[in-house]
Amino acid sequence: MALVTSSILVEVCVDSVQSAITLDAAQAGADRLELCANLGLGGGTTPSLGLLKSVQKEVSLPIMVMIRPRTGDFLYSHHELQVMLQDIRIFKGNNVRGIAVGILNREGTVDVKRMKIVLEAALPLEVCFHRAFDMTRDAEEGNMRGKA
């Protein structure tokens, strides 16, 4: 499992090269960027490889990449999970710090089985459980299941 530190990290979400440059997140004290597409449409989706490479040319902060094949809920089909795993493989080879991802089950709890598959695919990258956590039916339970 990933190393958890006690310090608080400041992460700025961006969905364009312009927002990454304009925010000047490093000057504002950010520790890293979370790169997404479609932030204004339901919290963001997986960005393109082209967007990642363009942002990397312009900023020096470490980048976490969102892995989310679509907007809406966080219940993913088998095929959507396969897309997510392929995206992880692609981003792993392109100098990212890690990924932001979250998968729930129909009961509204963390889908531990699928998250373990995602974690195994992502290692040794950092993995951050994203806003899907906010959609769990019970935050305390979600936190404990996320540590399983």
Side-chain angles (χ1 to χ4, degrees):
M1 290 280 177
L3 175 66
V4 177
T5 61
S6 61
S7 63
I8 295 174
L9 294 175
V10 177
E11 181 176 272
V12 175
C13 293
V14 297
D15 65 355
S16 69
V17 177
Q18 190 62 44
S19 63
I21 295 168
T22 303
L23 287 173
D24 200 3
Q27 291 279 93
D31 298 297
R32 65 188 186 196
L33 297 178
E34 180 181 312
L35 186 62
C36 312
N38 306 306
L39 269 176
L41 299 174
T45 58
T46 303
S48 70
L49 183 57
L51 178 57
L52 171 66
K53 290 188 170 293
S54 296
V55 169
Q56 286 173 327
K57 285 182 185 176
E58 300 296 332
V59 300
S60 59
L61 285 173
I63 298 173
M64 300 287 285
V65 177
M66 177 176 281
I67 302 296
R68 188 176 182 206
R70 59 167 171 75
T71 59
D73 63 29
F74 299 96
L75 308 173
Y76 299 114
S77 71
H78 168 77
H79 296 292
E80 289 170 323
L81 179 62
Q82 296 311 305
V83 169
M84 295 166 76
L85 295 172
Q86 183 63 24
D87 285 338
I88 291 167
R89 285 186 209 91
I90 290 167
F91 289 122
K92 270 178 82 169
N94 283 281
N95 199 30
V96 297
R97 167 70 58 90
I99 64 168
V101 63
I103 305 173
L104 302 180
N105 58 37
R106 294 207 179 279
E107 292 76 37
T109 60
V110 175
D111 188 331
V112 174
K113 180 180 175 185
R114 287 180 162 201
M115 281 303 302
K116 284 183 179 181
I117 293 168
V118 167
L119 277 169
E120 288 172 10
L123 290 175
L125 298 179
E126 292 180 19
V127 176
C128 177
F129 197 91
H130 66 42
R131 72 185 291 266
F133 180 79
D134 298 334
M135 303 302 169
T136 58
R137 69 173 183 205
D138 181 331
E140 180 93 12
E141 179 186 5
N143 188 36
M144 295 311 292
R145 288 180 65 88
K147 292 178 182 178

